[in-house]
């Protein structure tokens, strides 16, 4: 069986608490069948971030691996370029609990509660558009069952921001006319309340009092039959 040389494997061990990072460069031989099995095209170099999450989820022994692989010029930006792996150490050995193939342009990650259960969830950066509006994949963390739930359509919200006092998500999108909307997570799906607030001018060229419109729209959301 042919073997493919992966010339660069960059392994980063990162502390979730202090974000300290050490790196080592090695060369690894990986056969073609193994790379296909792990969702990695055989011609790509692997860049791997390993995040030990003991300070975020105490006494849970969780680990995240973001396995990125390079792309040739002109690749389809909708293709997957990263494997996200969530594991737990059991009896001294990490056992994989979830694996997901995603597209992540910079490989950034965050830990933040997005559903009001006081447990920090996992966000993995998806894309950044020409105006630097970022999107993320969101994985809700269930500590009791050692389980992640990927939230459908969350990566369609640009610059998401959680409102803990209302258990809502708003955003601020930079565009020709900056705008804001409201969302809520319902089980494993994002619900869009359908309101859009524009900042600057309305469609008729009249100035908009954004703060006033924001408060008015938020009141509508809180009274909406779909709000909970």
């Amino acid at each position: 069986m042919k073997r493919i040389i992966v010339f660069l494997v960059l392994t980063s061990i990162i502390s979730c608490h202090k974000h300290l990072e050490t790196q080592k460069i090695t060369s690894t031989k990986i056969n073609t069948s193994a790379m296909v099995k792990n969702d990695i095209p055989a011609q790509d170099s692997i860049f791997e971030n390993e995040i030990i999450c003991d300070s975020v989820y105490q006494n849970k022994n969780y680990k995240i691996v973001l396995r990125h692989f390079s792309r040739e010029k002109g690749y389809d930006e909708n293709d997957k370029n990263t494997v996200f792996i969530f594991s737990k150490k059991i009896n001294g050995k990490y056992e994989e609990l979830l694996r997901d193939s995603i597209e992540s342009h910079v490989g950034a990650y965050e830990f933040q509660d997005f559903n009001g259960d006081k447990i920090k969830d996992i966000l993995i950066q998806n894309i950044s558009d020409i105006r630097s509006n970022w999107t993320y994949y969101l994985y809700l963390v269930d500590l009791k069952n050692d389980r992640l739930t990927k939230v459908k359509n969350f990566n369609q919200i640009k610059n998401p921001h959680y409102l803990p006092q209302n258990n809502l998500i708003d955003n601020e999108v930079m565009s020709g006319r900056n705008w804001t909307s409201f969302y809520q997570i319902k089980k494993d799906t994002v619900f869009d309340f359908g309101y859009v607030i524009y900042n600057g001018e309305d469609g008729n060229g009249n100035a908009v009092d954004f703060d006033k419109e924001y408060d008015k729209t938020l009141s509508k959301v809180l009274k909406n039959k779909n709000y909970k």
Side-chain angles (χ1 to χ4, degrees):
M1 182 178 293
K2 291 184 178 180
R3 288 183 174 269
I4 305 299
I5 302 295
V6 178
F7 291 100
L8 177 62
V9 177
L10 176 61
T11 303
S12 302
I13 309 300
I14 304 174
S15 162
C16 292
H17 179 59
K18 297 182 179 179
H19 296 282
L20 299 178
E21 182 174 332
T22 60
Q23 300 178 341
K24 64 179 180 180
I25 300 175
T26 60
S27 296
T28 304
K29 292 183 179 181
I30 302 178
N31 65 53
T32 305
S33 61
M35 297 184 81
V36 172
K37 180 180 178 181
N38 287 281
D39 306 317
I40 301 171
Q43 75 275 15
D44 285 334
S45 297
I46 306 170
F47 301 81
E48 186 169 286
N49 289 351
E50 182 178 285
I51 305 110
I52 306 300
C53 301
D54 293 346
S55 59
V56 180
Y57 309 107
Q58 294 184 5
N59 303 315
K60 297 302 294 184
N61 297 316
Y62 291 155
K63 179 179 76 171
I64 292 170
V65 171
L66 293 173
R67 186 173 296 155
H68 314 282
F69 43 92
S70 63
R71 291 291 194 173
E72 296 179 359
K73 270 190 174 181
Y75 76 89
D76 184 348
E77 66 177 11
N78 293 316
D79 285 347
K80 308 297 187 291
N81 75 336
T82 301
V83 179
F84 167 69
I85 303 170
F86 179 70
S87 303
K88 178 181 175 68
K89 184 184 283 187
I90 301 174
N91 296 325
K93 181 180 179 181
Y94 281 105
E95 295 190 10
E96 187 176 308
L97 303 179
L98 180 141
R99 173 183 291 248
D100 192 18
S101 295
I102 61 176
E103 174 72 11
S104 181
H105 286 189
V106 300
Y109 61 89
E110 296 181 25
F111 300 94
Q112 185 179 348
D113 181 14
F114 258 86
N115 63 345
D117 61 1
K118 310 301 181 183
I119 299 171
K120 289 186 177 181
D121 302 306
I122 301 170
L123 296 102
I124 307 295
Q125 184 266 354
N126 176 207
I127 65 170
S128 174
D129 65 20
I130 58 175
R131 293 181 180 269
S132 296
N133 295 302
W134 280 36
T135 61
Y136 299 82
Y137 299 99
L138 175 64
Y139 301 86
L140 302 178
V141 178
D142 179 350
L143 295 179
K144 182 179 179 180
N145 298 296
D146 294 327
R147 183 173 59 194
L148 297 188
T149 298
K150 186 178 182 179
V151 178
K152 299 172 185 175
N153 302 322
F154 187 85
N155 65 323
Q156 296 181 20
I157 304 176
K158 296 182 178 182
N159 305 325
H161 171 246
Y162 185 61
L163 304 174
Q165 66 273 27
N166 303 119
N167 191 27
L168 290 170
I169 300 165
D170 70 359
N171 63 347
E172 184 178 4
V173 181
M174 305 296 114
S175 64
R177 294 172 64 199
N178 297 348
W179 56 272
T180 294
S181 288
F182 292 94
Y183 311 85
Q184 190 172 53
I185 296 173
K186 297 183 180 295
K187 295 183 179 180
D188 66 346
T189 305
V190 165
F191 178 79
D192 183 347
F193 286 91
Y195 300 107
V196 179
I197 313 164
Y198 290 102
N199 198 350
E201 297 181 348
D202 62 19
N204 299 317
N206 301 313
V208 173
D209 185 332
F210 178 79
D211 291 338
K212 182 179 179 180
E213 289 301 314
Y214 183 96
D215 291 341
K216 185 191 301 184
T217 305
L218 178 57
S219 295
K220 291 180 181 178
V221 171
L222 297 177
K223 296 174 182 176
N224 191 292
K225 65 180 182 179
N226 293 302
Y227 171 76
K228 63 176 183 178

